[in-house]
Amino acid sequence: RQARPAPGIPVLSDAATMVAAYLTEECEMGRIAADADVDALALSLIGAGHMLFADRERAAPGPEEVGKVVNAVIADVVQRRLL
């Protein structure tokens, strides 16, 4: 934290930056809508993923459960790219 002073939780800030960069590339390739708010999507994906994996009462979610959440978060921008 002292080496990299940043607001919030540095590892999550880094993750949001990386996911947003990935989503930007997806926009450029036409896989998601060109006007997608990649920063908001990145935060949504990270938050949803955190909630899925933070539950210590049950086993970690499997690929199907994670995929279901990811699909729900990006559904709009995937559908709008087709219009």
Side-chain angles (χ1 to χ4, degrees):
R1 215 171 243 260
Q2 291 173 350
R4 293 183 57 205
I9 302 169
V11 69
L12 293 179
S13 296
D14 289 349
T17 298
M18 289 188 293
V19 172
Y22 170 78
L23 292 170
T24 297
E25 291 178 16
E26 292 294 313
C27 286
E28 291 168 356
M29 290 187 279
R31 293 181 182 161
I32 62 175
D35 65 344
D37 185 340
V38 295
D39 293 323
L41 287 171
L43 293 175
S44 297
L45 289 166
I46 290 167
H50 177 77
M51 294 303 295
L52 282 175
F53 284 90
D55 186 352
R56 301 280 182 194
E57 299 296 316
R58 62 185 185 100
E64 241 180 62
E65 189 175 358
V66 173
K68 182 178 176 182
V69 170
V70 170
N71 288 334
V73 171
I74 66 169
D76 175 64
V77 295
V78 170
Q79 289 175 6
R80 285 192 297 116
R81 74 161 171 97
L82 299 172
L83 300 176

